[in-house]
Amino acid sequence: MDYAVLLSEEHPELPLAELEATLRADGIEFEIQEKEGKLVFLDGDEVEEVADRLALSFEISEVLHSFQPENYQKLATKNLEAEEPFSVRTARVDGTEAPEELEENVGRMIDRNSDVDVDLESPGEVFRAYLVNGEAHLSRLKADTDRGEFESRKNQHRPFSSPVTLHPRLARTLVNLSEVGRDGSLLDPFCGTGGILLEAGLIGCDLYGSDVQEEMVEGTRENLEAFNLEGDIREAEFSDAEAEFGRQFDAVVTDLPYGKASVTEGDPTEEFVETAPELTDGKVVFMSDKEEIDGLEPEFEFYVHRSMTRYVYVME
Ligand SMILES: C[S@@+](CC[C@H](N)C(=O)[O-])C[C@H]1O[C@@H](n2cnc3c(N)ncnc32)[C@H](O)[C@@H]1O
């Protein structure tokens, strides 16, 4: 089946990388066909199943037919049918503007084959016409991602907060980049307030975390509990994490301490890069403020603001 996924534009590469990693994590076979701005076309089965864990996409649709907007009458031959009261909404992907009344005209083409009516207020089925490069791609919306949900989990909405935490959308993206399965185990050995663990727990992972500060360990436990999640969270220096847990994990995902906010003597970054791969037979994904670590290069550069850039590393 042909799908179209509308990506966010928060970053030039991360949204597509997150989508691909998440499809692999959930064992969904797919092939990217092309990317037109923030719209990516792919071939696959049940691609919409990943919508509930994606952070950097808006919606997933099944592509029905591509046409020139002015030739919308050609849709008459396509047997387009709605099964539930429906609506048609255009979406501009680039500068291509929808001709006036395109929604209405496409709606009429669908209506003539359907036993149900148009319902603009609360449609049971939504058709999208994505406008890109002068073409309209008529699609049936299969799943929305709930981006508002991430906002509701921001630092200030959790019982234990600290400015060190990542935005929940970025934390979820790191989890997805690790390709951890929904029933996989994930370790964050610098867990802070538990932002990464929270996002991993909400997709179903078994949670393991540690931090050198007792306050953070207790805070993580409190935050997880507030979202009805459980985890094995311990107070430990990173170098003791392996002995402390005595096991391997399906993924290690973390946000390393940054120079200024370091609470321990010495920077654990190099030791982390050297030893973290031993803690997992899957991937190690981490954020750092370093643009290179012992010859290791980041996969993504993440611009936070004028004086702050972060780097995302992915180690196999
Ligand atoms: C950038 S913060 C992590 C933030 C976390 N992702 C969150 O959502 O809150 C880094 C954490 O590493 C911890 N830390 C610093 N040095 C450590 C070490 N050597 N071993 C374990 N934890 C350490 C700090 O206490 C801090 O909570």
Side-chain angles (χ1 to χ4, degrees):
M1 190 184 281
D2 290 337
Y3 285 91
V5 181
L6 194 61
L7 305 172
S8 90
E9 292 181 294
E10 284 153 285
H11 188 275
E13 300 132 29
L14 272 172
L16 180 57
E18 187 210 18
L19 173 66
E20 292 182 273
T22 307
L23 288 165
R24 282 194 290 271
D26 279 2
I28 294 175
E29 294 210 2
F30 68 98
E31 202 176 318
I32 302 287
Q33 290 163 337
E34 62 181 319
K35 186 168 177 284
E36 304 254 23
K38 58 184 173 180
L39 196 65
V40 60
F41 294 96
L42 62 156
D43 188 23
D45 282 323
E46 299 182 348
V47 165
E48 68 272 22
E49 297 283 308
V50 295
D52 65 331
R53 65 178 279 189
L54 289 176
L56 303 181
S57 294
F58 291 109
E59 56 188 40
I60 302 180
S61 304
E62 171 196 354
V63 182
L64 304 172
H65 188 64
S66 301
F67 62 101
Q68 298 295 322
E70 58 279 15
N71 297 336
Y72 73 89
Q73 290 98 335
K74 288 195 176 158
L75 295 177
T77 61
K78 300 295 169 195
N79 291 325
L80 298 165
E81 191 183 343
E83 273 158 23
E84 292 180 59
F86 70 98
S87 72
V88 179
R89 289 269 170 263
T90 52
R92 262 168 71 164
V93 176
D94 57 12
T96 306
E97 285 223 33
E100 248 180 72
E101 297 177 354
L102 182 65
E103 290 174 355
E104 208 182 313
N105 291 336
V106 173
R108 239 181 304 117
M109 296 296 114
I110 298 171
D111 197 33
R112 57 161 71 178
N113 295 325
S114 310
D115 295 330
V116 291
D117 289 328
V118 169
D119 181 349
L120 300 179
E121 296 292 304
S122 54
E125 208 170 336
V126 175
F127 291 86
R128 297 291 259 155
Y130 300 113
L131 286 139
V132 52
N133 277 342
E135 253 197 317
H137 303 278
L138 182 64
S139 310
R140 183 183 273 118
L141 186 67
K142 301 290 272 186
D144 273 321
T145 59
D146 194 346
R147 303 237 322 159
E149 276 268 309
F150 291 99
E151 297 301 317
S152 73
R153 291 194 293 276
K154 273 167 77 173
N155 200 23
Q156 62 267 37
H157 305 308
R158 304 178 199 158
F160 177 76
S161 63
S162 155
V164 298
T165 196
L166 301 175
H167 190 288
R169 261 201 309 272
L170 183 53
R172 174 66 65 85
T173 303
L174 298 182
V175 170
N176 284 336
L177 287 174
S178 79
E179 298 185 24
V180 68
R182 293 175 193 250
D183 55 359
S185 56
L186 182 142
L187 169 71
D188 180 351
F190 299 88
C191 67
T193 66
I196 290 172
L197 294 176
L198 198 54
E199 295 306 314
L202 290 170
I203 64 168
C205 295
D206 292 336
L207 308 177
Y208 298 84
S210 53
D211 198 286
V212 75
Q213 294 189 77
E214 186 189 356
E215 186 197 6
M216 293 292 179
V217 171
E218 280 167 9
T220 289
R221 288 186 187 135
E222 215 182 313
N223 283 344
L224 292 180
E225 211 182 305
F227 290 85
N228 292 320
L229 295 170
E230 280 177 15
D232 181 348
I233 315 300
R234 305 189 189 192
E235 186 181 331
E237 162 77 30
F238 170 69
S239 47
D240 300 329
E242 193 173 1
E244 182 68 40
F245 289 104
R247 57 161 290 172
Q248 276 208 318
F249 304 91
D250 294 316
V252 174
V253 180
T254 201
D255 179 21
L256 289 175
Y258 301 105
K260 283 176 235 150
S262 188
V263 292
T264 48
E265 275 183 36
D267 182 343
T269 303
E270 287 183 11
E271 188 190 353
F272 174 80
V273 165
E274 218 170 282
T275 59
E278 290 161 21
L279 290 164
T280 175
D281 42 21
K283 294 195 180 204
V284 177
V285 175
F286 67 97
M287 289 260 293
S288 167
D289 57 354
K290 302 188 173 48
E291 57 180 305
E292 189 253 310
I293 305 163
D294 269 355
L296 185 69
E297 306 246 330
E299 204 95 351
F300 308 98
E301 193 174 314
F302 197 89
Y303 176 83
V304 186
H305 57 69
R306 202 145 43 102
S307 56
M308 197 196 276
T309 304
R310 296 282 184 249
Y311 301 89
V312 178
Y313 289 78
V314 179
M315 297 167 79
E316 301 279 336

